[in-house]
Amino acid sequence: QVQLQQWGAGLLKPSETLSLTCAVHGGSFSDYYWTWVRQSPGKGLEWIGETNRGGSTNYNPSLKSRVTISVDTSKNEFSLKLASVTAADAAVYYCASRQYCSVGRCHFSSWGQGTLVTVSS
Amino acid sequence: DIQMTQSPSSLSASVGDRVTITCRASQFVSNYLNWYQQKPGKAPDVLIYAASTLQSGVPSRFSGSGSGTNFTLTISSLQPEDFATYFCQQTYNIPPVTFGQGTRLEVK
């Protein structure tokens, strides 16, 4: 069973870059897509994007211009950077894992504990 | 993007009630439809994946059905620990993965 532990700065000023990292414990790092999701009261759950062991990425088109998701296979970690944050980016950010999709089996099986990000000058 | 619409947005029910939540996709998603339960301050947990497959460890009172664009989550007999928020999610067309807006299940 994969376990995810995430960390990063929780208080940012407008225009700064959000940076979060998620460590993967257990399971095979090669068997999953590694994902970031955020949740705010106004917008519910929003998928940010994902990467895999090879560094292939998929991003939400609504955030693509500001998002970078990267992977460090030597540490079994993956990271999120979101540039030029505004108050609209305030949310709880989660890392999550999903196995490669097969016959409808394509869900987020493990989640990190969440990081509350506040944006304030 | 595929839009996911859940109904109702909130629901009041009592222990022992049978509850049904629906999720409609704006486009065909086959059976790439998942249901999650979220309790306050916690990350979501998967209940049902592939529209109708119960995640290991999830009580059998939870069930899912549907295919294509219309899906339902049913709780056959509500237990106290089931009062939470429920989300549907499509993973048929990535990017992006999209979620329903959530259904808050409250005690009547």
Side-chain angles (χ1 to χ4, degrees), chain A residues 39 94 104-106 108 111, chain B residues 32 34 36 38 42 44 49 91:
Chain A
Q39 185 172 32
Y94 294 101
R105 181 190 176 101
C106 191
F108 294 0
W111 296 68
Chain B
Y32 285 79
N34 310 307
Y36 297 83
Q38 186 178 32
K42 300 293 187 182
Y49 63 88
T91 50

Side-chain angles (χ1 to χ4, degrees), chain A residues 1 37 39 44-47 50 58-61 94 98 101-109 111-114, chain B residues 1 31-34 36 38 41-46 49-50 55 87 89 91 94-101:
Chain A
Q1 177 72 4
V37 175
Q39 185 172 32
L45 287 164
E46 183 177 27
W47 179 81
E50 62 187 10
N58 292 309
Y59 295 135
N60 192 321
Y94 294 101
R98 72 164 178 88
C101 298
S102 147
V103 199
R105 181 190 176 101
C106 191
H107 57 282
F108 294 0
S109 50
W111 296 68
Q113 77 276 20
Chain B
D1 299 1
N31 66 333
Y32 285 79
L33 189 287
N34 310 307
Y36 297 83
Q38 186 178 32
K42 300 293 187 182
D45 269 331
V46 64
Y49 63 88
Q55 172 74 351
F87 295 93
Q89 175 202 48
T91 50
I94 303 173
V97 172
T98 49
F99 295 87
Q101 79 280 14

Side-chain angles (χ1 to χ4, degrees), chain B residues 9-47:
Chain B
S9 297
S10 63
L11 176 59
S12 296
S14 301
V15 172
D17 284 354
R18 179 183 180 88
V19 166
T20 298
I21 299 168
T22 65
C23 179
R24 177 170 293 181
S26 62
Q27 302 173 37
F28 177 82
V29 298
S30 185
N31 66 333
Y32 285 79
L33 189 287
N34 310 307
W35 290 97
Y36 297 83
Q37 178 193 68
Q38 186 178 32
K39 295 185 177 178
K42 300 293 187 182
D45 269 331
V46 64
L47 296 172

Side-chain angles (χ1 to χ4, degrees), chain A residues 24-44:
Chain A
V24 178
H25 303 283
S28 171
F29 199 72
S30 302
D31 291 346
Y32 296 87
Y33 265 94
W34 306 104
T35 298
W36 291 97
V37 175
R38 69 182 184 181
Q39 185 172 32
S40 59
K43 295 193 74 174

Side-chain angles (χ1 to χ4, degrees), chain B:
Chain B
D1 299 1
I2 298 177
Q3 308 302 317
M4 307 302 293
T5 304
Q6 285 181 238
S7 61
S9 297
S10 63
L11 176 59
S12 296
S14 301
V15 172
D17 284 354
R18 179 183 180 88
V19 166
T20 298
I21 299 168
T22 65
C23 179
R24 177 170 293 181
S26 62
Q27 302 173 37
F28 177 82
V29 298
S30 185
N31 66 333
Y32 285 79
L33 189 287
N34 310 307
W35 290 97
Y36 297 83
Q37 178 193 68
Q38 186 178 32
K39 295 185 177 178
K42 300 293 187 182
D45 269 331
V46 64
L47 296 172
I48 303 280
Y49 63 88
S52 59
T53 303
L54 198 65
Q55 172 74 351
S56 175
V58 173
S60 59
R61 62 181 180 272
F62 291 92
S63 63
S65 64
S67 185
T69 60
N70 292 307
F71 303 89
T72 60
L73 171 69
T74 299
I75 309 172
S76 61
S77 179
L78 268 177
Q79 298 302 300
E81 60 268 28
D82 300 337
F83 292 98
T85 301
Y86 294 84
F87 295 93
C88 62
Q89 175 202 48
Q90 71 80 23
T91 50
Y92 179 73
N93 189 15
I94 303 173
V97 172
T98 49
F99 295 87
Q101 79 280 14
T103 295
R104 186 173 178 177
L105 181 53
E106 301 173 319
V107 178
K108 182 183 284 184

